[in-house]
Amino acid sequence: MSIRLTDDEAWAAIEAAHTGILTTLRADGRPITLPTWFVVVDRTVCLRTPVGSKKVARVRRDPRASFLVEHGEQWQALFGVHLSGQLRTVTDDTEQAHVHGALDEKYRDYRLAPDAMPETARQAYATFAVLRLAPEGRLLTWDNSRMRPPS
């Protein structure tokens, strides 16, 4: 049996993941990799970030990005789905509202109440940009638990 997942299995795994790892490019071309909360909408990865964040500036300068979800501590349990594509700012109000609602629902139990944040954090998180990563090419997937030792 192959360790690769089908596209349906890969997207189901992405949807089920709690935190993704997003990589964007700095002005000098060096990658910067950060954890992010996200939702899947029509087989794209959607997230939000403060409108004044460096992530937004990096995306405007160079939309190339990659995204990874993974788990497993022992070799036989290693699992991952990686995709690359173009990360764009969502400008449509209806799409933005849909992503905000989906993120609020998915992470309701994990968020800090605004009044529990320092004022500077409250201000930074007052206005969000919504970003959407549309994959290009094949998803890179692996699930080592599918590997069977020779008989």
Side-chain angles (χ1 to χ4, degrees):
M1 171 180 252
S2 171
I3 65 171
R4 283 192 47 79
L5 288 88
T6 66
D7 281 352
D8 289 341
E9 290 171 325
W11 282 105
I14 295 170
E15 284 187 74
H18 182 272
T19 303
I21 308 300
L22 179 71
T23 301
T24 56
L25 300 173
R26 294 178 178 176
D28 64 4
R30 289 183 303 153
I32 183 161
T33 302
L34 300 167
T36 189
W37 287 350
F38 68 95
V39 291
V40 171
V41 177
D42 299 326
R43 292 197 172 186
T44 65
V45 174
C46 298
L47 57 123
R48 64 182 164 205
T49 188
V51 74
S53 71
K54 290 187 186 246
K55 192 180 300 171
V56 171
R58 287 192 301 271
V59 167
R60 286 186 181 133
R61 186 178 48 259
D62 188 339
R64 293 178 296 168
S66 67
F67 183 80
L68 170 73
V69 296
E70 58 78 33
H71 63 78
E73 293 182 19
Q74 299 197 11
W75 184 84
Q76 185 139 9
L78 292 178
F79 175 95
V81 179
H82 178 271
L83 59 94
S84 296
Q86 302 289 312
L87 188 62
R88 305 279 187 199
T89 303
V90 174
T91 57
D92 180 81
D93 292 341
T94 303
E95 286 182 58
Q96 285 181 2
H98 177 70
V99 171
H100 283 303
L103 285 162
D104 289 344
E105 182 176 326
K106 182 175 180 178
Y107 296 104
R108 175 174 291 114
D109 295 336
Y110 304 96
R111 296 178 58 195
L112 189 59
D115 60 347
M117 290 185 196
E119 181 59 29
T120 54
R122 252 196 317 268
Q123 289 175 5
Y125 287 93
T127 309
F128 289 102
V130 173
L131 304 176
R132 178 186 302 249
L133 178 58
E136 296 173 350
R138 251 173 78 171
L139 303 179
L140 173 60
T141 66
W142 63 95
D143 180 355
N144 284 2
S145 71
R146 294 179 174 202
M147 200 174 301
R148 298 292 175 244
S151 332

